[in-house]
């Protein structure tokens, strides 16, 4: 038996506040655009499958950067470490050169930022409309990681970090 649950209209700001209680990692998604490198900050990212290797990314439908990345079909997810709040804020701004003064190396799918703690190279597999976002499922082509560092975490609208806690 299927039950349909309905709820009163939920205000977006209330939902954002409550979902802000769920800590997320922070990524910068980059690609080689037609006019040079493009990139955007994203925290709606997760692993989907190990076999085959798939990830999920949810860019906003009003993003001006995602169409440029989508048109290439390949991108690099840069997982950001605790020292990268300012770089991440830069990639969330509009109307600026996001790559100015940001070191990176060329990878087949997009710029790999020097300051990232890990890189995941991807190719778009599927896209699905989902409200004000797009669900992007992507094939993982290659991965790499730098030295171990603490992650950059987004929680209740602010950047922070998580120090590894050792079990007793």
């Amino acid at each position: 038996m299927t039950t349909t649950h309905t709820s009163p209209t939920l205000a977006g700001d209330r939902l954002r506040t409550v979902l802000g209680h769920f800590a997320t990692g922070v990524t910068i998604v980059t690609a080689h655009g037609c006019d040079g490198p493009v990139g955007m900050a994203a925290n709606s990212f997760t692993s989907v499958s190990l076999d085959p290797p798939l990830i999920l990314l949810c860019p906003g439908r009003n993003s001006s950067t995602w169409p440029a990345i989508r048109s290439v079909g390949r991108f690099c997810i840069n997982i950001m470490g605790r020292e990268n709040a300012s770089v991440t804020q830069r990639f969330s701004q509009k109307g600026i050169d996001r790559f100015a003064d940001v070191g990176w190396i060329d990878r087949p799918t997009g710029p790999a930022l020097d300051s990232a703690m890990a890189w995941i190279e991807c190719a778009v597999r599927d896209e699905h409309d989902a409200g004000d976002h797009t669900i992007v499922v992507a094939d993982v082509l290659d991965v790499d990681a730098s030295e171990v560092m603490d992650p950059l975490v987004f929680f209740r609208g602010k950047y922070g970090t998580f120090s590894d806690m050792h079990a007793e």
Side-chain angles (χ1 to χ4, degrees):
M1 180 169 126
T2 303
T3 305
T4 303
H5 297 279
T6 58
S7 62
T9 303
L10 191 61
D13 59 343
R14 175 75 177 138
L15 182 59
R16 180 188 307 262
T17 298
V18 171
L19 292 178
H21 287 73
F22 181 69
T24 65
V26 181
T27 69
I28 295 176
V29 181
T30 60
H32 298 297
C34 296
D35 298 322
V38 294
M40 64 183 194
N43 66 341
S44 295
F45 160 79
T46 192
S47 170
V48 173
S49 171
L50 297 177
D51 186 18
L54 301 170
I55 59 91
L56 178 143
L57 175 70
C58 297
R61 292 188 70 184
N62 64 353
S63 169
S64 58
T65 307
W66 177 247
I69 295 172
R70 177 196 305 118
S71 70
V72 178
R74 301 165 70 101
F75 55 90
C76 182
I77 296 175
N78 296 265
I79 299 175
M80 305 310 288
R82 70 181 289 173
E83 305 297 326
N84 302 131
S86 63
V87 174
T88 302
Q89 289 170 336
R90 175 182 206 85
F91 276 81
S92 66
Q93 295 177 14
K94 295 182 186 249
I96 65 165
D97 178 0
R98 294 174 178 167
F99 287 89
D101 301 320
V102 174
W104 56 278
I105 61 169
D106 191 20
R107 289 184 95 105
T109 58
L113 304 183
D114 292 346
S115 56
M117 57 189 276
W119 304 270
I120 304 169
E121 297 189 75
C122 304
V124 174
R125 173 185 275 229
D126 296 304
E127 288 188 335
H128 309 277
D129 288 339
D132 60 0
H133 281 69
T134 300
I135 298 171
V136 178
V137 178
D139 293 299
V140 176
L141 306 175
D142 199 7
V143 295
D144 199 3
S146 66
E147 294 180 29
V148 176
M149 64 175 83
D150 290 335
L152 181 61
V153 177
F154 194 68
F155 180 69
R156 293 186 184 163
K158 296 180 182 164
Y159 294 108
T161 191
F162 173 81
S163 294
D164 190 19
M165 297 171 44
H166 299 282
E168 294 181 18

